[in-house]
Amino acid sequence: DQQVKQNSPSLSVQEGRISILNCDYTNSMFDYFLWYKKYPAEGPTFLISISSIKDKNEDGRFTVFLNKSAKHLSLHIVPSQPGDSAVYFCAASTSGTYKYIFGTGTRLKVLA
Amino acid sequence: DADVTQTPRNRITKTGKRIMLECSQTKGHDRMYWYRQDPGLGLRLIYYSFDVKDINKGEISDGYSVSRQAQAKFSLSLESAIPNQTALYFCATSEDTGYGYTFGSGTRLTVV
């Protein structure tokens, strides 16, 4: 059973607009969440994180929102740039386990 | 030099053959992980190790084994490769859960 789900396999957005990537989870014990970005032929790279004690974390153009009651998090990229075109994975962890469960990924394409 | 180095980058092997994928890291971290990526399934955890003497099975360990030769080295073996082990394999290392993982560039394995 998939504990972390990204229901949109792909997303296309115009350059300069907002990209919103969504992630749902089922395990209420998850208390730390990450987003990774992956380019072809490279390993995933860390993008932004959020702890369950917060509902928002911002880093430049990237903001992650967490809705614990809905077991939902989202990544907002504003403004979107062509270089943001990549596969984005969300990941979740429970404190003390030191391992992450990943979602299936969303391929973002930013159109120039 | 990369923080996490995986060898080989690409490998084609025949069904029934034994193959080893190697991973080394220069981050000085204790925790190391092996994941595989399949289309539509995201990243799934195969094995993880929290120090040289600590090895743990992940979600999908059947058909795989690992060896933690040193703090910096963590290898993954397929004792008798089968076609459904064709995937992209990633090694990762972690300092602690708050910082997420640093991934290698991956090994693309094809079993024919």
Side-chain angles (χ1 to χ4, degrees):
Chain A
D1 187 29
Q2 194 79 25
Q3 296 186 68
V4 180
K5 300 178 184 179
Q6 294 175 254
N7 291 318
S8 298
S10 63
L11 175 68
S12 291
V13 172
Q14 284 296 131
E15 181 179 8
R17 305 297 291 267
I18 183 171
S19 295
I20 300 176
L21 295 92
N22 294 303
C23 179
D24 296 293
Y25 61 96
T26 57
N27 188 340
S28 59
M29 298 299 292
F30 289 147
D31 57 7
Y32 205 87
F33 305 89
L34 307 175
W35 282 94
Y36 280 85
K37 178 167 71 173
K38 183 184 179 304
Y39 292 118
E42 296 182 12
T45 55
F46 171 75
L47 193 56
I48 193 168
S49 64
I50 189 166
S51 162
S52 61
I53 63 172
K54 294 185 174 182
D55 54 18
K56 177 183 175 182
N57 190 28
E58 193 171 351
D59 184 1
R61 297 186 296 114
F62 302 92
T63 302
V64 56
F65 296 91
L66 176 62
N67 182 332
K68 290 185 289 294
S69 61
K71 294 190 180 70
H72 177 84
L73 65 156
S74 61
L75 174 68
H76 293 209
I77 306 173
V78 183
S80 302
Q81 299 173 353
D84 296 328
S85 297
V87 177
Y88 289 78
F89 292 98
C90 64
S93 177
T94 302
S95 294
T97 63
Y98 303 109
K99 57 185 173 77
Y100 285 88
I101 306 298
F102 283 78
T104 52
T106 296
R107 183 177 300 277
L108 173 67
K109 188 171 185 179
V110 180
L111 306 170
Chain B
D1 287 344
D3 292 327
V4 181
T5 301
Q6 291 184 236
T7 55
R9 288 298 307 272
N10 292 282
R11 180 73 181 267
I12 300 174
T13 192
K14 292 184 177 180
T15 298
K17 293 289 187 182
R18 183 179 189 276
I19 182 169
M20 179 182 289
L21 309 184
E22 301 196 30
C23 176
S24 62
Q25 53 107 350
T26 58
K27 301 282 282 184
H29 295 167
D30 287 326
R31 300 188 181 98
M32 297 187 75
Y33 308 79
W34 276 104
Y35 281 83
R36 66 177 276 178
Q37 183 190 0
D38 298 275
L41 295 177
L43 290 154
R44 293 181 293 164
L45 182 62
I46 307 172
Y47 269 96
Y48 58 104
S49 169
F50 289 166
D51 65 39
V52 175
K53 296 182 181 180
D54 179 76
I55 303 288
N56 304 280
K57 292 182 178 181
E59 306 167 67
I60 52 164
S61 58
D62 287 349
Y64 300 96
S65 62
V66 291
S67 173
R68 185 81 184 265
Q69 301 94 327
Q71 186 203 39
K73 296 184 182 294
F74 191 37
S75 59
L76 176 72
S77 294
L78 288 66
E79 298 301 327
S80 179
I82 57 177
N84 77 358
Q85 291 177 313
T86 293
L88 190 52
Y89 289 84
F90 288 103
C91 174
T93 183
S94 168
E95 185 174 14
D96 70 37
T97 191
Y99 294 98
Y101 300 149
T102 300
F103 281 92
S105 297
T107 294
R108 183 169 296 281
L109 177 66
T110 303
V111 183
V112 298

